[in-house]
Amino acid sequence: MKAYQLVEWQQPPEFRDVPVPEPGPGEVLVKVGGAGACHSDLHLMEWPEGTFAFELPFTIGHENAGWVEALGPGVTGLDVGEAVAVYGPWGCGRCRACRLGRENYCERAAEIGALGGGLGRDGGMAEYLLVPSARLLLPLGDLDPKEAAPLSDAALTPYHAVKRNLERLVPGSACVVIGVGGLGHMAVQILRAVTATQIIAVDLDPAKLELARAVGADEVVPSDADAAATIRELTHGLGASAVLDFVGAEPTIELGASVVRPEGEVTVVGLAGGTFPFRFGAMPWDAALTVPYWGSTIELMEVLDLARAGKIRSHVEEFSLDDAPDVYERLREGKIDGRAVVVPA
Ligand code: NAD
Ligand code: ZN
Ligand code: ZN
C-alpha cells in the first residue's frame, strides 16, 4: 500500500510503498476512513533531528478513525467492520497514568521512544493502520469516520484544555480562544456545549474569524496590537478567566498573559515555540501558565458523546491520499478552513 512517510528530518514526507501490516497478538488492523492533517505535522517536518527520539521512516497522521479490518490473535470485544476512533497517544498501557486512561502522560514515554501512530510509529496517512492494542479503539456508533477523525485530536486536545479550566468558566466569565484553525474551531464549539462563558475568538485571518462566529463565538477580535485593549473592553475591564492559545508564539502568549484575570489560566496548546518571561509581576496574582498535551481516553469518550449528541461537529475539507503534500502546503499557508482530512480509500 501507499504510505506518506517522514523519511528524513527537516524534509517533506514522501510516498513509499509498504506492506499492509498483519495484526499480531493483541493488535488490530484498521482501514483508515479519515486521517486529519494537524499543524503539529508541520512542526514535525521542521524540527531538527533529536527533538524527538523517533526512528525514521514512519507514516505520518496521528488523528485517525476508520473501520476494524482484522483482529490479531486474542483480541475480543471488537467486530470486523465496526467504525472506530483511534485514541492517538499510545502509552505502555500499564503505568499509573495509562491505567487512568491518561496515556498522553505515560510514565514510560521516554522508554517507548514514540508517542503514537504518526508520531514515531506508523500513522494514518495510508490505507491501513496497525493499532497496537484494542484498548486504543473507541466505537464511533453512527459517526462518519472522516468527520470523526478530527475528534481524536482537533477536538480531544481543546476538550482537555477546556476541562482543566471548567471550574473557572462560570456564567459571567470570559474565555479567549487564540487561533481558530483545526483545534480552535472545535474549542469554540466545546466551550459553547459545556459552559456558559463568553467566548472571544482571536485570529489573524478574517476568514477564520468568520468561521469562529459561525461555530458559536460571541465576539471575534483580530490578532493585532489592539487585541488586548479590545478584549479588556469586551470583558468590562476584568479580562478572561481562561485563555486557550492554539498558536503558542511569543505575541500570542504575551496577549494571553496581558488579558488573563487573577487566578485565571493561560493554557498554551500551540507548539510555535514562543517564550514568555514568567516571573513575579508578569501575570496577575495566582494566574497560571500551562502547556497541556492531548487528552485522555475518557475525555475522548466524552468528546465522541458530544459529537453523537450533535453538540460539536468538525468542519472538514476532504482530500485523497495523493493530495497529502498539497494539503500540508495549504495548511502552512493558512488556507484550510476547519480541518483537512485525508481519506485514503
Ligand atoms: P491550524 O493551522 O489549523 O490553525 C492555526 C490557527 O492559528 C490559524 O487559524 C491561524 O490563522 C491562527 N494564527 C496563526 N498565528 C496567529 C496569531 N499570531 N494570532 C492569532 N491567530 C493566529 O493549526 P491546528 O492544527 O489547529 O494546531 C494549532 C496548534 O496546536 C499547532 O501549533 C499544533 O502543533 C498544536 N497542537 C498541540 C497539541 C498539544 O497537545 N499540545 C495537539 C495538537 C496540536
Ligand atoms: Zn495533532
Ligand atoms: Zn504508561
Side-chain angles (χ1 to χ4, degrees):
M1 65 177 184
K2 194 195 270 187
Y4 195 50
Q5 296 200 320
L6 192 68
V7 180
E8 242 184 285
W9 293 106
Q10 296 185 299
Q11 292 299 322
E14 293 170 21
F15 285 112
R16 297 178 78 227
D17 202 39
V18 301
V20 174
E22 270 200 30
E27 297 176 338
V28 180
L29 187 67
V30 170
K31 186 177 170 70
V32 180
C38 179
H39 203 109
S40 298
D41 295 328
L42 295 177
H43 297 306
L44 184 70
M45 294 169 201
E46 284 156 10
W47 277 323
E49 182 167 3
T51 308
F52 284 99
F54 301 160
E55 266 177 48
L56 301 182
F58 62 87
T59 306
I60 65 165
H62 56 267
E63 186 180 275
N64 306 301
W67 301 272
V68 173
E69 174 76 12
L71 303 175
V75 177
T76 54
L78 282 170
D79 295 322
V80 170
E82 188 177 350
V84 285
V86 181
Y87 175 69
W90 296 350
C92 72
R94 292 195 303 277
C95 72
R96 182 183 287 259
C98 286
R99 287 293 181 101
L100 286 166
R102 302 163 56 162
E103 302 205 19
N104 48 327
Y105 298 144
C106 173
E107 292 168 9
R108 283 145 87 190
E111 225 173 284
I112 293 171
L115 297 172
L119 295 167
R121 295 191 57 172
D122 286 334
M125 297 266 170
E127 203 175 336
Y128 295 99
L129 167 65
L130 184 66
V131 177
S133 169
R135 77 171 191 279
L136 302 166
L137 297 174
L138 295 181
L140 283 184
D142 53 12
L143 292 174
D144 175 355
K146 66 174 175 289
E147 269 188 36
L151 298 176
S152 70
D153 179 14
L156 174 57
T157 303
Y159 185 74
H160 176 71
V162 168
K163 241 194 144 177
R164 56 172 297 116
N165 282 294
L166 214 47
E167 282 192 356
R168 296 185 175 90
L169 298 177
V170 294
S173 68
C175 182
V176 172
V177 174
I178 307 177
V180 192
L183 273 66
H185 91 290
M186 297 309 300
V188 169
Q189 296 178 59
I190 291 163
L191 287 165
R192 178 90 15 258
V194 305
T195 78
T197 198
Q198 178 192 24
I199 305 166
I200 304 174
V202 180
D203 205 293
L204 290 169
D205 180 351
K208 304 295 164 71
L209 292 178
E210 217 171 282
L211 175 62
R213 271 254 200 250
V215 296
D218 296 299
E219 305 287 347
V220 300
V221 175
S223 190
D224 59 22
D226 299 330
T230 308
I231 293 167
R232 287 249 156 243
E233 224 173 84
L234 291 170
T235 57
H236 315 290
L238 292 173
S241 293
V243 177
L244 312 180
D245 179 357
F246 296 106
V247 180
E250 194 168 310
T252 58
I253 303 175
E254 248 173 41
L255 172 63
S258 69
V259 300
V260 73
R261 285 173 76 144
E263 296 185 282
E265 181 173 301
V266 179
T267 310
V268 180
V269 175
L271 308 181
T275 55
F276 177 74
F278 190 81
R279 55 176 152 67
F280 175 80
M283 285 170 70
W285 297 121
D286 235 338
L289 184 63
T290 60
V291 283
Y293 173 63
W294 224 327
S296 71
T297 44
I298 307 299
E299 287 168 337
L300 181 54
M301 285 179 185
E302 292 167 6
V303 164
L304 295 175
D305 280 331
L306 278 177
R308 279 189 288 259
K311 295 189 188 282
I312 61 170
R313 185 166 185 186
S314 36
H315 188 294
V316 162
E317 281 192 58
E318 190 183 327
F319 297 88
S320 74
L321 182 57
D322 290 333
D323 292 332
D326 183 42
V327 166
Y328 284 109
E329 222 21 70
R330 291 181 54 177
L331 186 62
R332 194 186 305 277
E333 291 165 4
K335 288 188 187 149
I336 301 288
D337 267 349
R339 198 55 140 188
V341 172
V342 165
V343 181

